[in-house]
Amino acid sequence: MSALLEQIQTKLAQLDNRERWIVSAGALFLFVTILFYGVWKPMKANNANLLQTNKVNSETLVWMQKSVQEIKQLQQSASGNSAFHGSLLSLVDSTTKTSGLAAQVKRIEPSGQDRVRVWLEQVSFDQMTDWLQTIDKQGVSIEEVSIDAEVVPGRVNARISLTGSFSE
């Protein structure tokens, strides 16, 4: 490297003042051009890209924070809807009525505070399973089920034992 510098200095020393000035100006121009196009311009373009990415990420963060709030509200409202205050017997009675099973309920027998036996006759199997899903969402556990098929397709007789504890 030092040999190369010595050759350059020797060549520059052989030039007259005007030629040295032109070569120095050309070298300075070349250095500034390389600095501008090789360093400054790529840094500026990268900075613009980073600013745009930052803006997009900030917007995404704001959207996510709003979504978190909405999710929390929906979870609270969903858990508020599923929380039943009353006895298991009253829950079973009200849900059979709202599910359209009141006519098929032949007997509801409480067995303590947290257990109920239900007899359904000539009930649509699909309607019964929908009702069981509904009460399952309310926190009721199905302890025992006995289902007998009827002559009419899709109709069954069922004896179901349910458990669950609710606040009065």
Side-chain angles (χ1 to χ4, degrees):
M1 183 79 180
S2 64
L4 181 65
L5 285 175
E6 286 178 22
Q7 279 184 336
I8 292 173
Q9 286 177 345
T10 306
K11 291 281 185 186
L12 280 175
Q14 292 174 354
L15 298 175
D16 65 11
N17 282 342
R18 185 172 177 209
E19 290 173 335
R20 268 187 250 153
W21 189 85
I22 291 173
V23 169
S24 298
L28 180 63
F29 177 75
L30 183 63
F31 175 74
V32 169
T33 303
I34 290 172
L35 187 65
F36 179 76
Y37 286 106
V39 177
W40 178 255
K41 201 166 183 179
M43 277 184 15
K44 186 109 169 130
N46 191 30
N47 186 35
N49 287 340
L50 289 174
L51 288 173
Q52 180 62 29
T53 302
N54 188 25
K55 181 181 176 187
V56 168
N57 288 342
S58 295
E59 291 170 356
T60 303
L61 177 64
V62 168
W63 175 81
M64 291 174 97
Q65 288 171 337
K66 287 180 183 177
S67 295
V68 165
Q69 293 300 325
E70 288 178 27
I71 289 169
K72 285 181 181 178
Q73 289 173 350
L74 289 172
Q75 286 175 337
Q76 288 174 352
S77 67
S79 66
N81 289 343
S82 65
F84 181 78
H85 300 287
S87 68
L88 178 59
L89 180 63
S90 63
L91 172 68
V92 169
D93 186 51
S94 67
T95 56
T96 54
K97 288 177 183 172
T98 58
S99 296
L101 297 175
Q104 286 82 20
V105 174
K106 292 304 167 195
R107 187 167 154 192
I108 299 176
E109 180 181 284
S111 179
Q113 204 44 21
D114 61 347
R115 187 167 183 208
V116 171
R117 290 187 207 130
V118 181
W119 284 262
L120 301 169
E121 291 184 5
Q122 295 291 321
V123 66
S124 162
F125 182 79
D126 292 337
Q127 196 174 10
M128 180 187 68
T129 56
D130 290 343
W131 170 68
L132 290 172
Q133 286 178 348
T134 300
I135 62 172
D136 180 59
K137 290 177 186 173
Q138 297 286 336
V140 174
S141 298
I142 302 166
E143 196 171 86
E144 187 179 325
V145 177
S146 174
I147 300 174
D148 299 319
E150 281 295 308
V151 177
V152 178
R155 296 283 177 176
V156 295
N157 291 335
R159 288 170 304 287
I160 305 166
S161 293
L162 306 169
T163 59
S165 54
F166 299 95
S167 59
E168 294 288 332

